[in-house]
Amino acid sequence: MSSVSTETSSAATEDQGSLIRSLSWKGAFWIAAGVPPLVLFSIGGIAGTTGKVAFVVWTVSMLMGFLQSFTYAEMAGMFGNKSGGTSVYGATAWLRYSKLIAPLSVWCNWFAWSPVLSLGCAIAAGYVLNALFPVPLATSQPVLDWVTAHLASLPPGSPRVAEYLAANPAIPEADAIRSLLTTDAVAALTPAIRTWSALELPIPGLGSLHLNATFVIGTVLMLLIIAIQHRGVSSTAVAQKWLAIIVLVPLLLVGLVPIFSGAIDYSNVTALVPPTAAYSGENGAWNVGGWTLVLGGLYIAAWSTYGFETAVCYTRELRDPRRDTFKAIFFSGLLCCVFFILIPFSFQGVLGLEGMLAPGIIDGTGVAEALGGMIGAGPVIAQLFTILMILALFLSIMTAMAGSSRTLYQGSRDGWLPHYLGHVNEQGAPTSAMWTDFAFNLFLLALASDASGYFYVLAISNVGYIMFNFLNLNAGWIHRIDSPHLPRPWKAPVLLIGLNTVLAFVNALFLGAGAKVWGYSNALVSGLIFAALIIPVFCWRHYIVDKGRFPKEAMEDLGLSNDDTSLGPRRAGILPYLALIAGAVLVAWANWFFVLPT
């Protein structure tokens, strides 16, 4: 492991082609400040899935994420010369037991974080379209004028009117005609760009790729974010700081004002039971089906609440990694605790289950209006919240690209991923990894540009995220046994290491039970298949390109010589293998036992 003096060297003494040490823990904190707005990505989906239990799901998930971060903080301090985040630090623990498991952990973490780019840009594109090319309301004057002008086009007794009356026998004929013409008016007055599509390509097992306006706008937004991050981590941190202040202060007020103003309806947050079925809006019972829905909520919430572990993605760029890693993840965790507990509670308390099941809340495009309504804002403030929502999405996307690109970068430097991903530009930005992220997310954006594909992308990517967390939480105790010689600037209490090992298996339970909840029975299988794609990639890099040896710097991180092919003693014996078997059995059992309510 590099010495303290090497770790704290200035940017001027850095090797050409490596990341630059120009960041304080506060900079890492501000970059990670893009995690709290992730609550807005799935707040409607989790409400629909878990009903009145939703805010409890967010709270439990956030507390789990905070406890787990102490294991990650210890490992981050052990590897002050690595970038890429806690998946990289934990992967080194598994390296002695299987060369394939270590890159699997890194890969799973990357393909869980990377889709934030496409999902965030898809929602942001929706806000841009709503602002510039709104769909007219049925009660708007242009629609009413259009209906009046076209009354003669739909005479009484016409086949279309007769069909409508047969389906709605209690409605007078005049009202039926007006209702049909109103639908026609909205369609006629909707800007063509809202329905434009240049391509719709079905992909078996995944859905359909859509080249539409959402895709085009989302692509432009991703390119803008790349341009900002191209200037290096210091510039990214500065941009994130101001974005975070602009976004998080109003978001905090949205959480606090309803509580102090008495706007919370406590009947919305009491008598907690899961729904009869996902999106039913009706209270169910604590049976197997109800627990399945709740575990599905905990499964998808983890994708957001655990995300502040990205604060230690920048260890290689911290000026003083021995001190700064713990501070960065600890204070990022506290920040997330405030938002992930407060916002869902106030959101549910004000809107109630019916309000949270509105289509605009579920797909994300109506969240800004709801936020304004929670504090009694008028139309002007509501428009400001639309801008706020777009900035919040930018904040999250910036965080995701900064972290996921560095995971790819370090995976390349450690000999797990292709060489080209290890390239950085003159500002120390991992540009090859960033453009790889961009290309991957173009595909995901085409998939998520249709509403039906949004949660499918989220459900599949989270398979990787839960797998990474399982491997990484177990890596904490493996490092304690196998690498006692490595310095630990901050050491977690033994009790926490043990508790977090238990939480690793709780996460496995979420994976087995929860992946199926989101309307895609094959989400678990699709996620496992995507996870397995790392195997040929790693084998090509390690066995063909590197002739079966890891790079010198990767070996030094473990305190080993580059000539040592044994990767060090396996002091943990068969325990890591038993943990893997137990985790796999638990996932399989949970997937069999927990079934959706019928």
Side-chain angles (χ1 to χ4, degrees):
M1 190 172 182
S2 301
S3 65
V4 177
S5 59
T6 301
E7 289 174 354
T8 57
S9 61
S10 66
T13 61
E14 293 292 329
D15 294 332
Q16 186 177 5
S18 66
L19 300 176
I20 298 173
R21 292 198 182 278
S22 58
L23 203 63
S24 69
W25 75 265
K26 294 178 183 178
F29 168 86
W30 287 120
I31 296 177
V35 174
L38 290 178
V39 67
L40 305 176
F41 277 49
S42 49
I43 193 167
I46 289 178
T49 301
T50 63
K52 296 184 74 174
V53 191
F55 81 95
V56 178
V57 165
W58 284 107
T59 300
V60 170
S61 184
M62 184 63 246
L63 294 177
M64 283 182 61
F66 189 65
L67 290 172
Q68 291 167 183
S69 70
F70 289 97
T71 294
Y72 300 160
E74 177 178 311
M75 291 193 294
M78 294 167 61
F79 301 99
N81 59 336
K82 280 186 180 292
S83 181
T86 186
S87 65
V88 173
Y89 317 140
T92 57
W94 288 99
L95 200 58
R96 293 184 173 96
Y97 298 91
S98 173
K99 288 184 177 181
L100 294 179
I101 296 176
L104 176 66
S105 177
V106 174
W107 179 261
C108 285
N109 179 262
W110 170 73
F111 88 75
W113 258 109
S114 188
V116 175
L117 278 69
S118 53
L119 298 180
C121 286
I123 298 176
Y127 275 106
V128 172
L129 287 171
N130 285 341
L132 300 180
F133 308 100
V135 176
L137 297 175
T139 56
S140 64
Q141 193 60 46
V143 170
L144 297 177
D145 292 342
W146 192 97
V147 170
T148 301
H150 291 79
L151 279 174
S153 67
L154 194 62
S158 64
R160 190 178 173 203
V161 174
E163 182 181 355
Y164 187 91
L165 289 172
N168 304 274
I171 296 179
E173 188 175 44
D175 291 345
I177 293 173
R178 188 164 290 277
S179 178
L180 289 169
L181 287 175
T182 298
T183 301
D184 294 345
V186 171
L189 298 176
T190 295
I193 193 172
R194 299 300 298 262
T195 56
W196 171 79
S197 179
L199 175 70
E200 183 174 341
L201 179 65
I203 304 294
L206 285 179
S208 297
L209 303 181
H210 297 265
L211 182 55
N212 52 21
T214 298
F215 175 84
V216 173
I217 296 172
T219 300
V220 173
L221 295 177
M222 280 198 287
L223 289 172
L224 177 60
I225 290 167
I226 286 181
I228 294 172
Q229 299 205 3
H230 195 272
R231 299 174 60 188
V233 72
S234 294
S235 296
T236 300
V238 172
Q240 286 285 94
K241 176 181 177 179
W242 292 111
L243 272 176
I245 292 172
I246 293 170
V247 168
L248 296 183
V249 171
L251 195 58
L252 181 62
L253 292 176
V254 166
L256 291 174
V257 168
I259 295 174
F260 291 105
S261 67
I264 301 291
D265 181 350
Y266 285 92
S267 66
N268 292 332
V269 291
T270 53
L272 305 180
V273 290
T276 55
Y279 301 101
S280 71
E282 299 178 3
N283 291 335
W286 287 103
N287 50 26
V288 172
W291 274 108
T292 302
L293 293 175
V294 171
L295 292 173
L298 287 163
Y299 166 75
I300 216 71
W303 183 80
S304 302
T305 56
Y306 299 178
F308 68 94
E309 44 86 12
T310 191
V312 292
C313 266
Y314 320 99
T315 303
R316 181 64 181 83
E317 294 158 281
L318 292 172
R319 289 192 289 265
D320 188 358
R322 288 180 173 271
R323 292 184 178 182
D324 290 346
T325 49
F326 177 76
K327 290 181 180 179
I329 195 169
F330 178 75
F331 287 107
S332 296
L334 289 180
L335 178 74
C336 288
C337 282
V338 171
F339 283 90
F340 281 108
I341 294 174
L342 182 63
I343 297 300
F345 175 79
S346 293
F347 215 74
Q348 183 171 328
V350 173
L351 297 181
L353 192 55
E354 183 178 353
M356 294 184 71
L357 293 181
I361 302 298
I362 292 173
D363 66 21
T365 58
V367 172
E369 183 179 354
L371 292 176
M374 287 173 62
I375 59 174
V380 175
I381 301 298
Q383 288 300 315
L384 291 177
F385 268 101
T386 298
I387 299 173
L388 173 72
M389 186 67 181
I390 294 175
L391 292 177
L393 293 168
F394 257 75
L395 188 64
S396 298
I397 297 164
M398 291 266 286
T399 296
M401 176 166 278
S404 61
S405 62
R406 281 157 178 81
T407 299
L408 292 178
Y409 163 84
Q410 192 63 49
S412 172
R413 296 296 293 255
D414 284 344
W416 299 330
L417 298 175
H419 268 297
Y420 84 94
L421 293 170
H423 169 76
V424 299
N425 67 4
E426 60 276 9
Q427 283 82 32
T431 47
S432 293
M434 288 162 56
W435 284 110
T436 300
D437 255 345
F438 172 76
F440 174 63
N441 276 277
L442 278 183
F443 174 81
L444 294 184
L445 181 60
L447 190 63
S449 292
D450 178 69
S452 63
Y454 177 88
F455 278 108
Y456 191 40
V457 171
L458 191 56
I460 290 178
S461 70
N462 203 44
V463 172
Y465 198 54
I466 298 297
M467 289 175 63
F468 140 73
N469 275 282
F470 176 83
L471 294 172
N472 234 42
L473 290 171
N474 279 290
W477 61 264
I478 296 174
H479 268 312
R480 284 284 182 98
I481 297 173
D482 281 344
S483 302
H485 60 290
L486 294 180
R488 288 166 169 79
W490 185 84
K491 192 171 184 179
V494 174
L495 181 62
L496 267 180
I497 295 292
L499 175 60
N500 288 337
T501 302
V502 174
L503 292 182
F505 291 91
V506 174
N507 280 299
L509 179 70
F510 295 165
L511 175 59
K516 69 175 73 171
V517 169
W518 296 88
Y520 312 99
S521 58
N522 62 339
L524 178 59
V525 174
S526 297
L528 293 175
I529 291 173
F530 196 89
L533 293 179
I534 187 57
I535 296 176
V537 173
F538 169 73
C539 289
W540 173 78
R541 166 68 195 270
H542 183 66
Y543 293 106
I544 297 177
V545 176
D546 292 344
K547 310 303 180 185
R549 292 186 177 274
F550 288 101
K552 180 181 179 181
E553 63 186 81
M555 299 297 288
E556 288 177 345
D557 287 336
L558 294 172
L560 303 171
S561 165
N562 196 41
D563 296 329
D564 189 347
T565 58
S566 69
L567 298 174
R570 300 177 180 177
R571 297 187 179 95
I574 66 169
L575 292 179
Y577 301 111
L578 292 177
L580 289 175
I581 294 171
V585 170
L586 182 56
V587 169
W589 174 82
N591 189 256
W592 165 79
F593 180 80
F594 289 98
V595 293
L596 292 169
T598 55

